[in-house]
Amino acid sequence: MTPKRGPDPEALISAEAIAARVTEIAAEIDRDYADADELLMLGVLRGAYMFLADLSRALHIPRRIDFIALSSYEKATNLGGVRLIMDTRVSLAGRHVLIVEDILDSGRTLSYLLRLFGARGPASIRTCVLVRKPNPEMDIDVDYLGFDIPDEWVVGYGLDYDDRFRALPYIGMLDPGSVGS
Ligand code: IMP
Ligand code: MG
């Protein structure tokens, strides 16, 4: 099966703008955790892989990387519908945990993760999100935010549509009509 090669998604956030913001966020995190022995960065697969890769390289504080995976996103599901399908390798007890996520939409995913991991006795738990849409169902405190974006389907820099477009170096808006099924 060969995916149709439609036009490239229209750029919303350029690779340069992302890189500049990642550097700023890293400086904030470096400052905030200057006294912590180590930061555990928890990337949410798969969308956050590129953001986590860049952010973790831009930091200077001692840090450790781990990943988790969730069941795929279904708009119709409620909070109970979010399910962990791959857990952390390390224990969270006593650690400074930073959840690194690609996008905040309804907030269900982050709210679930905060509840789940918050109950495991971390020394602290914070969230870092690359882009945020204006659709909160849950009141989520994002500690580090890249960009607020309009309510469009976005792809690139890790974000996908049906597992495509993840490797685009920028974030673009997808015109669903341009994508073959
Ligand atoms: P939430 O639980 O509604 O906040 O949704 C967050 C999850 O939905 C993200 O981790 C993404 O996997 C997915 N998602 C929501 N909007 C988009 C989008 O515009 N592009 C790609 N993935 C999205
Ligand atoms: Mg995701």
Side-chain angles (χ1 to χ4, degrees):
M1 192 191 78
T2 317
K4 279 191 205 120
R5 211 167 154 58
D8 285 339
E10 184 192 341
L12 179 67
I13 310 171
S14 69
E16 294 72 23
I18 296 170
R21 191 72 190 111
V22 166
T23 303
E24 288 174 358
I25 294 173
E28 256 184 82
I29 295 175
D30 271 340
R31 265 198 312 276
D32 292 353
Y33 291 90
D35 296 330
D37 47 341
E38 187 182 69
L39 178 65
L40 174 63
M41 306 179 76
L42 274 192
V44 183
L45 291 175
R46 282 166 286 186
Y49 81 96
M50 206 176 280
F51 182 38
L52 180 63
D54 286 343
L55 185 64
S56 61
R57 281 181 293 185
L59 288 170
H60 298 91
I61 50 166
R63 58 231 186 257
R64 186 185 286 248
I65 313 296
D66 204 347
F67 291 98
I68 55 163
L70 299 167
S71 62
S72 66
Y73 179 67
E74 283 168 58
K75 199 99 192 165
T77 56
N78 57 20
L79 227 194
V82 181
R83 200 165 55 89
L84 194 70
I85 55 175
M86 188 183 89
D87 208 334
T88 60
R89 230 162 32 131
V90 298
S91 154
L92 303 192
R95 293 185 193 273
H96 293 286
V97 174
L98 182 65
I99 300 173
V100 180
E101 175 62 311
D102 52 0
I103 187 165
L104 183 66
D105 186 6
S106 70
R108 284 191 297 251
T109 305
L110 263 192
S111 149
Y112 168 80
L113 290 175
L114 282 170
R115 207 183 44 187
L116 185 73
F117 294 148
R120 293 184 182 179
S124 68
I125 184 161
R126 286 187 180 166
T127 56
C128 179
V129 173
L130 181 62
V131 293
R132 177 171 62 186
K133 288 188 184 179
N135 300 326
E137 276 173 26
M138 314 280 169
D139 192 16
I140 305 274
D141 249 345
V142 178
D143 297 286
Y144 306 97
L145 174 68
F147 303 91
D148 276 305
I149 60 166
D151 190 16
E152 301 279 347
W153 194 265
V154 289
V155 295
Y157 199 69
L159 291 150
D160 75 306
Y161 171 77
D162 200 16
D163 264 329
R164 295 163 60 188
F165 305 104
R166 285 194 203 278
L168 276 183
Y170 64 92
I171 293 176
M173 290 177 292
L174 195 71
D175 167 13
S178 72
V179 184
S181 53

